[in-house]
Amino acid sequence: MPNVEGLIKYVIGYNPQADVGLIRRAYEFSANAHQGQLRKSGEPFLKHPLEVSLILARMNMDIASIVAGLLHDTVEDSLTTSEDVAKEFGRDIADLVEGLTKLSKVEFMSREEKQAENFRKMIISMGKDVRVILIKLADRLHNMRTLSALSISQQKRISQETMEIYAPIANRLGIGWMKIELEDLSLRYLKPDVYTDLAKKVSLKKAESDKYIQDVIEIVKKNIKIYGFNAEVYGRTKHFYSIYQKMETQGIAFEEIYDLTGIRILTDTKVNCYATLGMIHSLWTPVPGRFKDYIGVPKSNMYQSLHTTVIGPGGHRVEFQIRTDEMHQMAEEGIAAHWKYKDKGHAETKDNQIYNWLRQMVEWQKDLSDSKQFLDSVKVDLFPDVVYVFTPKGDVKEMMRGATPVDFAYSIHTEIGNQCVGAKVNGKMVPLRYQFKSGDTVEVITNTNHVPSKDWLKFVKTPRARAKLKHVIKTEERRRSHEIGHKLIEKEFHRIGTSITAVNKLENLRHVLNEYSVKDIDELSVLVGYGKVSPRQILKKLFPESVEKEETKEKEESPKRVRVPGGVKVRGIDDILVHFSKCCNPVPGDKIIGYITRGRGISIHTPACPNIDELDYDKERLVQVDWDTTEPITYPVRISVSTIDRPGVLASVSASITSSGANISHAEISTTEDKRAILNFVVDVKDLAHLERVIQKVEQVRGVEQVRRLMGR
């Protein structure tokens, strides 16, 4: 087990003025807090925070980060409080520890919801101090290194989370070595058979590959000497996940991969990078489409390098990376490469572009009230297939592939996005749903009186644009709902001779507001505008005697009121129109959710409905609903039957449907050139079990090849 003196020795190596006394105090504090605690492996718990701090030291982090690494689990896993840490080590370090402490005392509906909320909390803390994310990455890396002590299900869950979130974050922050190790460790537990097989095959082939690469390196060195370049050349072994990705994306076997090792050339100047590239291309033929210039157009994480693949000796492909020493340091260390703290999380770096993504994440979480939606947006943004476009001034912007002028407008500023009415690409007007190609020059046309359209959600690509759009639309919907609700309440109150102003003075108003979990009558108006509460319900709670007299009178005048069967029960809402969406045609047995529409009551959808993503920008209009199976109702469902085209098949299929107790309300028949027939029916069924019986009965008809349920119109 490493000890604190080893950590101190490492820190002094890059920071001779370090406060080693503070590190020792933090170590002793952590040792006392975790006394008697063991990890799943049986090792003392203290080993984990010590290893995390060593990882941070290897990243040349400041003393506050090293100390926070030693203390990062004390608040969560011991009786220590954040106040205890602040008292002993100061508010700066206590805030770092607090930013890393999970929401362990809060109850959540699911593990996914808890994971999303923990991630959101970390991002908020990171907005105050970016060191939080770096300490979290070090924590995750050591946990991955020691994952074998956990159960297989835990190994897979943590590895999946690492592959989806933490390895891509390390990549976006430019920390290349950490991204590689996290990916390889994740692959080891997610696909153990693949990992073991790769390890064995790489080991067997390595000697042959190394000999070939060494021969190529000698040729390159000889030519560098001839041309008088100042450069170093060495081989770099590809990591397992990179090899696995290549096999998957190209659909090739391991035996077809020759270049298990690539070649990296480090030179002294940017000019010599291009000169060296020219030399490589003069020696061997470059592979078309395999050249990338990340020096002229750096990646968003400030990665810079020239990439090229050539047909080397013997006809084998060889990959080269060419960069300066400074570029290499940035490629390996990323955001930590220029880490010089003065105070409270303000880092000095020669280029702030690397922080843009971090700022965007902090901004998104403000716009998206749902934590899981926020996490999903971040996941999408972590895997961008990018294109590079130019502003009218010639500045380069990296955009996600498929991005549109609306995405571009929101990437500049929220107001530019909100006011976007058109765009020119390469000097010509294009539709707002136009998808960029690399090299496009984009000019956004705005109008200060314009408001965003909900239809934009159908084509915008970037999480930032989606988040901003949903926020603006939700705000506008809320304003309109308040306006409508206020009028409806005022009208209802006016009917019994009172007003909202008068109601504000009632003693029982506070009780009614608490019942609906709102703070004032304005928020209650919003609920009415959304349709979640009827003005009648409010009136009944505020003036029960007046409403009771009125209802008695109505019953006497209309004794034959009939309840219209709806088929569903809406939680917390009475007397509201319900209709079933035709985009997914739910039936009892399907999971369902309700969406409050304007003027048409509640539409019922399945959670898998393709239109739900367009509706979920306003969570306040989604309501919980349940099937009401006490009423004998049938529901229309579309099914498609693929058959051999033979005489009598339509009659046989129709007979099997009706014999199952289902009614056919519509039928469409089409045939294909290869003697097949497609029979589409709309059948009325009682529930999902009834539908399954219908499908099973049809599948038994001679000549039927496939029966499937259709979603949509």
Side-chain angles (χ1 to χ4, degrees), residues 199-260:
K200 188 185 299 181
K201 287 178 176 176
V202 167
S203 178
L204 291 172
K205 197 175 180 181
K206 193 171 187 301
E208 175 192 348
S209 178
D210 286 354
K211 171 69 170 62
Y212 178 82
I213 289 297
Q214 197 54 46
D215 290 344
V216 175
I217 287 174
E218 290 304 317
I219 296 171
V220 172
K221 283 183 175 179
K222 181 180 176 182
N223 280 272
I224 282 175
K225 192 173 182 180
I226 292 171
Y227 285 97
F229 297 147
N230 182 16
E232 295 179 16
V233 189
Y234 57 92
R236 51 179 187 87
T237 304
K238 289 187 176 177
H239 60 294
F240 290 168
Y241 183 68
S242 172
I243 297 169
Y244 168 72
Q245 264 193 319
K246 192 167 189 174
M247 291 165 60
E248 288 291 297
T249 54
Q250 296 183 16
I252 58 177
F254 176 83
E255 288 69 27
E256 297 175 72
I257 299 176
Y258 194 88
D259 53 339
L260 293 178

Side-chain angles (χ1 to χ4, degrees), residues 540-578:
K540 198 171 184 177
K541 292 180 186 299
L542 290 171
F543 305 99
E545 292 179 5
S546 299
V547 174
E548 190 175 345
K549 287 178 183 178
E550 190 178 351
E551 287 180 348
T552 302
K553 186 179 179 181
E554 285 178 357
K555 285 179 182 178
E556 290 172 355
E557 294 174 355
S558 308
K560 294 184 178 180
R561 292 178 69 193
V562 180
R563 182 176 182 271
V564 180
V568 296
K569 295 176 287 188
V570 184
R571 300 180 199 174
I573 306 178
D574 301 322
D575 302 324
I576 192 164
L577 179 67
V578 171

Side-chain angles (χ1 to χ4, degrees), residues 456-507:
W456 289 0
L457 287 171
K458 295 176 182 177
F459 61 78
V460 293
K461 186 75 173 177
T462 59
R464 175 184 172 86
R466 292 192 73 82
K468 292 294 182 184
L469 263 175
K470 288 178 179 181
H471 178 69
V472 170
I473 294 168
K474 179 179 177 179
T475 302
E476 178 60 19
E477 290 279 11
R478 186 178 179 85
R479 186 194 64 76
R480 287 170 56 195
S481 293
H482 174 266
E483 191 177 295
I484 292 168
H486 188 88
K487 288 178 181 177
L488 290 173
I489 292 175
E490 189 70 76
K491 183 179 179 182
E492 196 73 16
F493 287 171
H494 183 71
R495 198 161 56 81
I496 63 167
T498 187
S499 66
I500 287 181
T501 305
V503 167
N504 266 317
K505 299 174 183 177
L506 291 177
E507 291 183 9

Side-chain angles (χ1 to χ4, degrees), residues 82 85-86 90-100 125 128-129 132 344:
S82 183
V85 176
R91 191 72 257 169
D92 183 29
I93 290 172
D95 285 344
L96 288 174
V97 174
E98 178 61 28
L100 294 156
S125 300
K128 301 172 186 174
D129 194 329
V132 168
K344 294 193 176 180

